[in-house]
Amino acid sequence: MKLLLAVEAFRTLGGIQEIVDNLAAAYLRVGHRVAIVSNSYFRPEIAREPRALADYFEVELPSAKPLTWRHPERLFSRARARQFLDCVRQWSPDVVNSHVFQWDKLPPLVAACRRARIPLVQTLYDPKGRGNLGVQALRPLRDAAALVTDSRAGRDYFASLMDAAHNAHVIGNGVDLDAAAKAVPFRRDRTYILSVARLNFRSKALDAVLRAFGQLANEFPGVDLLVGGDGPDRIALSEMARAAGLESRVVMLGAVPHDELWSYYRGALLFVLSSRIPEGRALVFLEAMAAGLPIVATKSGGTPEIVADGQSGVLIEGNDPEMFAAAMRSLLSDAALRRQMGARARELAEREHGWDAVARRYLDVYASCCAGGPRLQVDAVSLSSLKPTGADRAVDAKRSGA
């Protein structure tokens, strides 16, 4: 099968970028042809090195905006959307699987696949992708060949917004079990709790995690809090730690390359993350579980579908720092309980969340979308004008063993 995966900002750190990269690698392992198409957004400080040796194209993924007399320039964004259509036609996949997160970008992608007569499978994640158009941006998805959500909670949420989502396939995210097993635990003089997230208080309640840790700091003087990730509230979180007198106990790791992050998971006592909006099946929880960590998290969205409350972690209603502190205290005080929950977490990750198993579920969906008959055949055209030379050189170097 020939597959085209669409995603935003593929060359930068992010959970969805990791999902697409791991799916592409799994498809390649079983003999499928794979290409990844992404926009050119790139920040060197959060760059990531792709693991999948898939073909890679950079094109505009513009947002849909209503055309008005006051904004005739929006015609140009429609013209830029043609780059994606040209890429689809020229590479001529059997299926396009879009993991594009921003809702406003979906209408041009749906229209391009419809014009190219290529089945579109759209993977939907969570409400954070809502843009200026809101639910209106989801309406074209009635023309998608299939919809996928990463949790039952996600399917229920999108089904409340559009009828087509009632039939969405639920395919949870995966985790690199080999990387978790091979990672060397991070060593430091003091033990630590780990939290990893995009530092944005609107969605991640890292401020509640910090306040909860502040309630424990004197009881556990040998335990620190390490926070991995970057975002608009990184400075605010650092200032909160300083104001609470915890600047020496709260370590801001910044954006950590994914290969290095495994060591931080393996060396931690437990993983904690509080959320203000419902998560899907967040990748960080799966990674922490694969590393054998008990989880303390908000009980919302798809999190209860992967973290078994009382078995592999503790789930908290809401974001009350006192409740998070109590859950963290119980785990820090009981090494046997930490080991028991950590072992259960690892068992669940290994049994249900390997990437090859996730890829097989996606491939079943793709196959069902291709069963309706032949698609439009397009003459092959060189895509050299669409490829970013820097990314090509990196891929060519990998393939040549340089």
Side-chain angles (χ1 to χ4, degrees):
M1 193 177 293
K2 196 174 181 185
L3 307 170
L4 181 64
L5 309 182
V7 64
E8 297 150 290
F10 179 65
R11 297 174 61 205
T12 59
L13 293 172
I16 297 177
Q17 292 80 0
E18 286 292 326
I19 290 167
V20 169
D21 201 3
N22 279 283
L23 283 173
Y27 300 152
L28 289 167
R29 282 195 293 271
V30 292
H32 298 284
R33 294 186 62 190
V34 184
I36 295 168
V37 59
S38 178
N39 55 2
S40 59
Y41 178 82
F42 179 75
R43 289 170 54 194
E45 66 272 21
I46 55 171
R48 61 184 295 278
E49 184 66 22
R51 61 179 55 80
L53 296 181
D55 290 331
Y56 174 64
F57 311 116
E58 281 186 1
V59 304
E60 289 286 340
L61 299 175
S63 298
K65 298 179 181 179
L67 181 62
T68 67
W69 288 110
R70 295 183 62 186
H71 298 284
E73 75 279 359
R74 290 175 179 173
L75 282 172
F76 294 103
S77 67
R78 297 186 180 189
R80 289 196 299 270
R82 187 172 180 85
Q83 292 185 23
F84 178 75
L85 172 60
D86 290 343
C87 182
V88 172
R89 281 176 165 168
Q90 293 167 12
W91 206 73
S92 191
D94 295 294
V95 174
V96 173
N97 183 191
S98 166
H99 293 258
V100 170
F101 182 71
Q102 295 293 329
W103 297 5
D104 287 356
K105 294 183 182 295
L106 299 181
L109 300 186
V110 175
C113 291
R114 184 173 62 243
R115 292 184 64 183
R117 294 176 59 188
I118 305 294
L120 170 68
V121 175
Q122 176 64 49
T123 301
L124 297 164
Y125 288 94
D126 58 48
K128 294 193 294 292
R130 181 187 291 266
N132 294 324
L133 295 180
V135 176
Q136 180 183 347
L138 300 176
R139 291 173 183 166
L141 291 177
R142 62 181 178 271
D143 292 328
L147 300 177
V148 174
T149 63
D150 65 348
S151 66
R152 293 186 296 275
R155 181 179 60 188
D156 293 344
Y157 170 75
F158 283 102
S160 72
L161 304 179
M162 56 176 175
D163 288 341
H166 285 284
N167 297 319
H169 303 267
V170 177
I171 304 178
N173 297 323
V175 65
D176 190 339
L177 300 172
D178 289 340
K182 294 175 183 177
V184 177
F186 179 68
R187 299 299 185 191
R188 63 196 303 268
D189 291 339
R190 300 165 59 81
T191 57
Y192 63 94
I193 299 164
L194 181 65
S195 187
V196 178
R198 176 163 170 75
L199 306 186
N200 185 339
F201 293 163
R202 293 178 59 186
S203 55
K204 310 293 186 183
L206 273 301
D207 50 335
V209 171
L210 184 85
R211 291 189 179 98
F213 177 72
Q215 297 182 28
L216 304 170
N218 290 334
E219 297 176 57
F220 302 94
V223 180
D224 293 339
L225 173 65
L226 272 57
V227 179
D230 203 350
D233 290 313
R234 179 179 178 179
I235 293 175
L237 193 64
S238 296
E239 290 176 348
M240 284 181 59
R242 188 179 306 111
L246 297 171
E247 63 270 29
S248 65
R249 304 281 302 277
V250 178
V251 180
M252 306 295 292
L253 300 174
V256 182
H258 203 259
D259 289 344
E260 297 178 19
L261 191 57
W262 286 114
S263 291
Y264 286 102
Y265 284 123
R266 289 291 306 276
L269 296 174
L270 59 97
F271 183 87
V272 59
L273 181 59
S274 182
S275 304
R276 285 199 164 88
I277 66 173
E279 302 278 354
R281 295 190 186 187
L283 207 58
V284 290
F285 293 138
L286 291 175
E287 291 169 347
M289 289 167 61
L293 294 183
I295 309 293
V296 179
T298 305
K299 185 178 182 179
S300 67
T303 302
E305 297 175 31
I306 54 175
V307 179
D309 190 18
Q311 298 181 47
S312 59
V314 181
L315 297 180
I316 307 299
E317 297 282 358
N319 302 298
D320 183 0
E322 290 190 2
M323 295 183 68
F324 267 82
M328 295 158 64
R329 181 182 292 110
S330 67
L331 287 167
L332 291 174
S333 302
D334 192 337
L337 179 61
R338 289 200 309 273
R339 287 193 296 270
Q340 177 185 342
M341 285 193 168
R344 178 61 172 155
R346 186 186 302 109
E347 176 191 339
L348 290 171
E350 292 174 348
R351 188 177 71 221
E352 301 178 10
H353 297 290
W355 277 115
D356 288 342
V358 173
R360 284 194 296 272
R361 297 182 193 117
Y362 266 103
L363 289 168
D364 287 342
V365 174
Y366 302 158
S368 70
C369 295
C370 294
R375 57 177 172 76
L376 178 67
Q377 295 297 319
V378 181
D379 292 336
V381 179
S382 171
L383 288 176
S384 59
S385 62
L386 297 177
K387 292 183 179 181
T389 56
D392 283 349
R393 283 196 297 268
V395 170
D396 290 342
K398 279 187 175 182
R399 286 175 172 161
S400 64

